[in-house]
Amino acid sequence: MLKNFQLSPKAIFYPMLMLAAMWTGFFLQQFGLFRDCSGSIIPLTPEGLKGVFFSPFLHGNLEHIIGNSLPIVVLMFLLYQFYQPIASKVFFTGWIATGLLVWLLPPIDIMTGDFYYSCIIGASGLVYVMAFFLFFSGVFRWDLKLLAVTLLVGMYYGGLVWGVFPEELFYNLDAPSKISWQSHLSGAVVGVILAFIFKNSGEKKKKYIWEFPDYYNEKDDKLWMQYKENHPEDFREMPQKKKDAVWEQLDELRKRS
């Protein structure tokens, strides 16, 4: 896989562009351009719809934006490197769909059932979209290269799965958590759905001509006869493991020819 690896310029450019936009939004917040809930998702309110577009650029504090910056860069790189033909569709569809789903979910304190006013900002919804898309897309496609990406995402970001649950389930909190599990859950759901929708889109799994059932090649027959003449001992009631080794050698001769 590494031998034929070619770095895509888009896999560098788009993550850096998104990172620059996030930090620009954060600095504008520090200068007071976005005050209070301006630009955030406010569930079930008309003015909160603006946040569907603007909230990924806004963050509550330095720790918040730093925590989202690295996952955004890494996951966008993997998305645009290994799913380039559909990467932009996945990214922007996931962005809008997740934002709308968050806007539709009423903010409820699950311990008391009470509604509360909520302003939701941050790019964590996008992080969950890409993480769950990359993980499940490799599984749905069952492609060796993409499964490697799946394992990589699972290894480094597997802990994200706990973020789809409210913190109140694990800790005794005096007030509802400021971490939006609704964004995480929405992003995860959207990511899985997009992985299923696009499972047959983009780069196709490479299939060699001899893998087709009706394949026939005269050169292969000659190679087979030549092998039998030169190695008659391999055809005298050889065990199954030895037969498998012979077929592997024939496949290697076929590729070289």
Side-chain angles (χ1 to χ4, degrees), residues 208-234:
Y208 294 100
I209 189 172
W210 57 81
E211 295 182 280
F212 290 91
D214 297 330
Y215 168 76
Y216 173 79
N217 188 292
E218 186 177 354
K219 184 184 290 187
D220 287 347
D221 285 342
K222 290 181 179 179
L223 283 171
W224 175 247
M225 297 303 295
Q226 182 182 354
Y227 187 88
K228 288 204 299 185
E229 290 176 3
N230 295 334
H231 304 277
E233 68 279 1
D234 290 338

Side-chain angles (χ1 to χ4, degrees), residues 6 15 69 105 141-142 178 200 220 222:
Q6 292 183 344
S69 293
L105 289 174
R141 292 166 183 259
W142 208 249
K178 293 183 178 181
N200 295 319
D220 287 347
K222 290 181 179 179

Side-chain angles (χ1 to χ4, degrees), residues 45-225:
T45 62
E47 63 271 20
L49 275 172
K50 292 184 296 184
V52 172
F53 304 98
F54 296 115
S55 62
F57 303 126
L58 308 177
H59 291 81
N61 52 45
L62 192 60
E63 182 182 0
H64 189 195
I65 190 170
I66 290 175
N68 280 337
S69 293
L70 183 60
I72 282 288
V73 170
V74 172
L75 295 171
M76 281 191 74
F77 170 81
L78 294 174
L79 179 65
Y80 277 90
Q81 178 64 40
F82 295 100
Y83 293 89
Q84 186 173 321
I86 59 171
S88 292
K89 291 181 182 178
V90 170
F91 184 76
F92 289 107
T93 301
W95 182 331
I96 302 303
T98 298
L100 288 174
L101 190 54
V102 172
W103 183 81
L104 288 170
L105 289 174
I108 301 176
D109 186 337
I110 64 167
M111 306 307 293
T112 64
D114 296 332
F115 290 85
Y116 59 91
Y117 189 80
S118 177
C119 303
I120 300 171
I121 55 176
S124 58
L126 279 173
V127 169
Y128 274 77
V129 169
M130 291 186 289
F132 277 74
F133 172 84
L134 290 167
F135 183 88
F136 283 96
S137 186
V139 175
F140 292 153
R141 292 166 183 259
W142 208 249
D143 177 89
L144 183 61
K145 179 176 69 175
L146 300 180
L147 279 171
V149 177
T150 290
L151 292 174
L152 182 66
V153 172
M155 185 184 305
Y156 286 97
Y157 295 106
L160 288 176
V161 68
W162 299 110
V164 304
F165 302 106
E167 280 195 312
E168 291 89 330
L169 293 177
F170 308 105
Y171 308 102
N172 292 323
L173 303 177
D174 296 330
S177 172
K178 293 183 178 181
I179 298 176
S180 175
W181 62 269
Q182 295 94 332
S183 293
H184 302 169
L185 179 60
S186 299
V189 170
V190 170
V192 175
I193 293 174
L194 290 175
F196 182 78
I197 290 174
F198 290 108
K199 66 179 181 178
N200 295 319
S201 302
E203 183 180 346
K204 303 297 182 182
K205 182 179 178 181
K206 187 175 182 180
K207 191 172 184 180
Y208 294 100
I209 189 172
W210 57 81
E211 295 182 280
F212 290 91
D214 297 330
Y215 168 76
Y216 173 79
N217 188 292
E218 186 177 354
K219 184 184 290 187
D220 287 347
D221 285 342
K222 290 181 179 179
L223 283 171
W224 175 247
M225 297 303 295

